Amino acid sequence: GTVIGRWVALMTGFRHALAIASLAFCMLASNAHADPARDEVDRLVADYIGLYAGPTLDRWRTLFDPAVVVAFQADDGTITTRTLDEFVERQRNYFATDRRISERLANVRVDMGRRTARVSADFIFVDEGEERPGKLGLHLAEGQDGWKIVAVLFAYDTAP
């Protein structure tokens, strides 16, 4: 009953209502500015990891532009490049060994451009439980067939 008690109750209720309204506004504002292109790029990156398995390798291949360039550094410092066919065949052969192989990404960063995206991440390649960390760079472009990976650069942090 006191005036102060009623004022405190009123202000507490007002603060709760304001907090709920602020949360609702933030949710609406974030959805209003959602970037469909960024969503597609995020999906492609998720599929790059999610489809990286023997049974889904043909679907994984569709993430790449036919003219993709895949590059990596050898331990002696030479740079090796592969075409899409060479890259996918190497993966297919590795999965055919029936080894437990997987890859995951961490510290993923996406920089969007006009119908382009640059993705950089730390990757952890897992082979029979042994983890090999490295760095991954993907360049993506949006073409007539949607978003595709047009360039891949990766390097392991240490020699095997």
Side-chain angles (χ1 to χ4, degrees):
T2 67
V3 172
I4 294 175
R6 285 191 304 247
W7 183 81
V8 169
L10 177 66
M11 291 310 292
T12 301
F14 177 72
R15 281 196 327 251
H16 286 246
L18 184 60
I20 291 169
S22 295
L23 178 61
F25 176 76
C26 289
M27 290 173 67
L28 288 173
S30 68
N31 286 338
H33 292 60
D35 182 357
R38 173 61 191 260
D39 291 342
E40 290 180 44
V41 167
D42 288 345
R43 259 191 308 282
L44 190 146
V45 173
D47 285 346
Y48 177 81
I49 293 301
L51 295 175
Y52 185 68
T56 53
L57 209 54
D58 289 335
R59 285 182 48 213
W60 184 74
R61 178 191 176 101
T62 67
L63 304 176
F64 300 90
D65 183 81
V68 69
V69 174
V70 178
F72 59 95
Q73 300 160 318
D75 293 334
D76 66 2
T78 59
I79 297 173
T80 301
T81 60
R82 292 212 166 95
T83 65
L84 179 59
D85 289 338
E86 293 167 335
F87 184 55
V88 171
E89 187 61 26
R90 186 159 174 93
Q91 306 311 309
R92 191 177 315 284
N93 291 341
Y94 207 23
F95 281 114
T97 65
D98 289 329
R99 297 175 69 85
R100 291 177 300 122
I101 302 163
S102 66
E103 187 173 338
R104 67 182 185 274
L105 300 180
N107 304 317
V108 177
R109 176 180 166 170
V110 177
D111 296 307
M112 297 295 296
R114 191 181 76 77
R115 299 178 65 194
T116 64
R118 181 179 60 233
V119 179
S120 58
D122 297 329
F123 73 86
I124 298 89
F125 182 78
V126 183
D127 181 355
E128 292 290 325
E130 182 182 334
E131 297 188 352
R132 289 193 62 205
K135 303 290 184 259
L136 173 70
L138 303 173
H139 282 245
L140 288 66
E142 183 184 27
Q144 292 176 339
D145 296 330
W147 286 90
K148 298 290 183 181
I149 300 169
V150 297
V152 177
L153 175 63
F154 68 92
Y156 289 99
D157 289 346
T158 59

